[in-house]
Amino acid sequence: MNIGEASGASGVSAKMIRYYEQIGLIAPKGRTESNYRVYGEDEVHVLRFIKRARSLGFSLEETETLLKLWQDKSRTSAAVKDIATGHIADLERRIAEMQGMVKTLKHLAHCCGGDNRPDCPILDDLAGAGPVAGERSAAGSKSGAGANAARHART
Amino acid sequence: MNIGEASGASGVSAKMIRYYEQIGLIAPKGRTESNYRVYGEDEVHVLRFIKRARSLGFSLEETETLLKLWQDKSRTSAAVKDIATGHIADLERRIAEMQGMVKTLKHLAHCCGGDNRPDCPILDDLAGAGPVAGERSAAGSKSGAGANAARHART
DNA sequence: TGTAAGGCTTCCCATCATGGGAAGGTCAAG
DNA sequence: CTTGACCTTCCCATGATGGGAAGCCTTACA
């Protein structure tokens, strides 16, 4: 199987397959005489494993650990569960952060006329004009962590 | 005011202040003879504006637009509100994606013994062993979009 | 058998926002 | 006058992915 076929069979782009190889996550079964990568069913299975793990939000580093556990027949399910629960906590923390942003933004947008006039509570808030109608909680009170939290949070 | 003082007064790191200058988001009031950047209250105000926008999850591109609107006295609040509502929708989409992941992961973790034995429904799922007890919905059924969604979603 | 299309290879670059660090100039306090 | 704390610019790294160029290989078709 060529890289293109392996890509089609796994749903992982050829570009990514090469990248995963580069970072030591997977290796082709071999190479043809003309240096083409050759894959078998096992490799495709690994690629699908990676893809599924990524779709559940695991980082490539976590995915690598999970992959090793998968291939280690003497693993304990506790080790796997630890990674999963840690990841769940991470996701929930990020969800909470974003929900804080949404809460604040909805409040501000609600207070904003959205008309032809220039007066805008959203800009007032950003400019540090102080609370619009009530508190400046949500993402506001933890702006330090929030700023950090917002980092890389964009698709 | 030096860059260090402006950083302290705004909460934006000196490194970032220089970067924002590089991408044209802000400029110092001037330079000293020895080439040090000099800032005034206005610049600090802009930096705080940027920081607040970032803490609400706006990208630097969106922040730039908001900044221009803030400085444009003939803006309409509708233009600002549009950006905010678009951003809210974006956040909510990403929140929903992550919630899907959490839902699936919690189900899998719940089904996993977390003990000394190697049997693990989490690995079974990743390996594509099919649904553990019920469906493979949540992040699973939209795995294509999910994979994309997971991208850059990590702090 | 020649050729054209498409696939493969490697290599470099871009993204987005941020931090780290080196090499060297400047300033203020002791 | 030295020392330490600043400042300057420049380069590199992150994480996961895509884009594209230059050049080789394979397959199908005339």
Side-chain angles (χ1 to χ4, degrees):
Chain A
M1 221 183 328
N2 275 342
I3 199 171
E5 295 166 281
S7 171
S10 66
V12 178
S13 74
K15 210 88 181 176
M16 278 303 101
I17 296 176
R18 294 194 197 98
Y19 174 65
Y20 294 159
E21 178 182 344
Q22 193 194 320
I23 64 172
L25 214 51
I26 191 186
K29 208 167 51 180
R31 297 267 188 157
T32 66
E33 288 183 3
S34 53
N35 207 31
Y36 281 24
R37 289 169 179 84
V38 177
Y39 300 91
E41 286 306 321
D42 288 355
E43 285 78 23
V44 169
H45 202 175
V46 170
L47 285 171
R48 277 200 282 253
F49 183 103
I50 295 170
K51 183 169 191 200
R52 173 72 177 150
R54 293 288 303 128
S55 83
L56 289 175
F58 288 105
S59 69
L60 282 184
E61 198 178 355
E62 287 166 325
T63 301
E64 188 180 10
T65 308
L66 290 168
L67 203 45
K68 282 177 185 158
L69 287 169
W70 181 42
Q71 286 155 351
D72 174 10
K73 296 302 176 198
S74 69
R75 74 193 163 238
T76 64
S77 66
V80 182
K81 193 170 182 174
D82 279 357
I83 296 174
T85 52
H87 180 47
I88 289 168
D90 194 35
L91 285 168
E92 288 187 325
R93 185 181 49 73
R94 279 150 50 200
I95 287 169
E97 277 165 3
M98 286 195 263
Q99 280 171 337
M101 296 176 190
V102 166
K103 185 182 169 191
T104 301
L105 286 166
K106 281 194 166 172
H107 173 63
L108 292 172
H110 178 73
C111 294
C112 174
D115 50 34
N116 288 324
R117 285 168 298 171
D119 315 85
C120 180
I122 301 169
L123 290 180
D124 289 346
D125 176 281
L126 292 173
V132 171
E135 81 305 336
R136 182 161 164 166
S137 65
S141 63
K142 45 175 180 178
S143 69
N148 265 359
R151 218 186 294 159
H152 289 164
R154 177 153 295 270
T155 306
Chain B
M1 220 183 326
N2 276 342
I3 199 172
E5 295 167 280
S7 171
S10 65
V12 178
S13 74
K15 211 83 181 181
M16 277 304 100
I17 295 177
R18 292 194 198 97
Y19 174 66
Y20 294 160
E21 178 181 343
Q22 193 193 319
I23 63 172
L25 214 52
I26 191 186
K29 209 168 49 180
R31 297 266 187 158
T32 66
E33 287 183 3
S34 53
N35 207 31
Y36 281 23
R37 288 169 179 84
V38 177
Y39 299 91
E41 285 307 320
D42 288 356
E43 285 77 25
V44 169
H45 202 175
V46 170
L47 285 171
R48 276 200 282 254
F49 183 103
I50 294 170
K51 186 173 189 194
R52 173 73 177 150
R54 293 289 302 129
S55 83
L56 289 174
F58 288 105
S59 70
L60 282 184
E61 198 178 354
E62 288 165 327
T63 300
E64 188 180 9
T65 308
L66 290 168
L67 203 45
K68 281 176 184 158
L69 286 170
W70 181 41
Q71 287 155 350
D72 175 10
K73 297 302 175 194
S74 68
R75 75 196 163 234
T76 65
S77 66
V80 181
K81 193 170 182 174
D82 279 357
I83 296 174
T85 52
H87 180 46
I88 289 169
D90 193 36
L91 284 169
E92 288 186 327
R93 184 182 48 74
R94 280 150 51 197
I95 287 169
E97 276 164 3
M98 286 196 262
Q99 280 171 338
M101 296 176 190
V102 166
K103 185 183 169 190
T104 301
L105 286 166
K106 280 194 166 172
H107 173 63
L108 292 172
H110 177 72
C111 295
C112 174
D115 51 33
N116 288 326
R117 285 168 297 172
D119 316 85
C120 181
I122 301 170
L123 290 180
D124 289 347
D125 176 281
L126 292 173
V132 171
E135 82 304 338
R136 183 161 164 167
S137 65
S141 61
K142 44 173 179 179
S143 67
N148 264 357
R151 217 185 297 159
H152 288 166
R154 176 151 293 270
T155 305

